[in-house]
Amino acid sequence: MHCPFCRHSDSRVVDSRTSDDGATIRRRRQCPNCSRRFSTSETASLSVLKRSGVSEPFSRAKVISGVRKACQGRPVSDDQLAMLAQRVEETIRTSGLAEIDAHEVGLTILQPLQELDVVAYLRFASVYQSFDSLEDFEAAIERLRAEGPRGAAVAAEPTS
Ligand SMILES: [Zn+2]
């Protein structure tokens, strides 16, 4: 690792720690030439295997652009989209896999999207779960109704 200050070709690791979620390692390094310190961070690469067989690096921007289409005309902010994409990435990284199917990425988006906006969720789910009949929509809507806008809160109420 080159020193970013003097371009010396070597550096010494003085400290190394793993982030709480275990996904990133941060290293504190010192240059033996100019003695200045700098940090590096190391994250396992995560790739997405597309249906075409091509694999590409996981991209939050791609998650956002895919979800944004489903959110057209819905009250969903850019901040909410960014948080959703972050949650999706964290969920996928927790699985510990280095490569994930593009279809799996779509399925991972469903849960946080349902919490964000049910209409956008239905649009998105109809593509990713390949709804091909009115019955598929009915079943999904029925499930959403049963779960209510806040699934857990509604489920906690006594049923008569
Ligand atoms: Zn240096």
Side-chain angles (χ1 to χ4, degrees):
M1 187 92 201
H2 285 267
C3 167
F5 301 105
C6 72
R7 307 302 300 162
H8 185 71
S9 63
D10 194 18
S11 62
R12 192 166 61 85
V13 175
V14 291
D15 185 35
S16 162
R17 59 185 62 186
T18 308
S19 63
D20 290 337
D21 62 2
T24 312
I25 294 176
R26 288 180 63 80
R27 292 203 167 89
R28 196 83 184 123
R29 293 170 182 270
Q30 185 169 32
C31 171
N33 185 45
C34 70
S35 298
R36 294 177 84 168
R37 291 186 171 200
F38 57 98
S39 298
T40 53
S41 96
E42 196 178 291
T43 308
S45 70
L46 177 61
S47 29
V48 176
L49 184 64
K50 305 209 293 181
R51 206 176 303 175
S52 61
V54 177
S55 103
E56 59 180 27
F58 174 85
S59 148
R60 282 193 204 179
K62 288 218 164 130
V63 169
I64 291 173
S65 73
V67 174
R68 182 174 275 136
K69 274 180 225 147
C71 290
Q72 260 175 25
R74 302 299 305 164
V76 175
S77 70
D78 284 350
D79 279 355
Q80 287 174 314
L81 286 178
M83 277 171 58
L84 180 145
Q86 184 182 338
R87 232 179 108 182
V88 168
E89 178 170 356
E90 282 167 2
T91 303
I92 294 172
R93 285 197 181 278
T94 305
S95 75
L97 297 169
E99 186 175 71
I100 182 169
D101 223 68
H103 187 68
E104 284 293 318
V105 177
L107 295 180
T108 308
I109 289 169
L110 290 173
Q111 183 59 39
L113 185 57
Q114 178 183 332
E115 290 165 21
L116 203 56
D117 188 277
V118 288
V119 172
Y121 165 84
L122 275 177
R123 290 174 181 160
F124 197 85
S126 69
V127 174
Y128 272 88
Q129 297 183 317
S130 312
F131 288 9
D132 58 7
S133 68
L134 283 176
E135 285 72 25
D136 287 341
F137 278 94
E138 276 171 0
I141 290 168
E142 205 123 289
R143 193 177 55 74
L144 287 172
R145 284 226 175 91
E147 289 181 11
R150 290 174 191 276
V154 172
E157 282 172 19
T159 48
S160 50

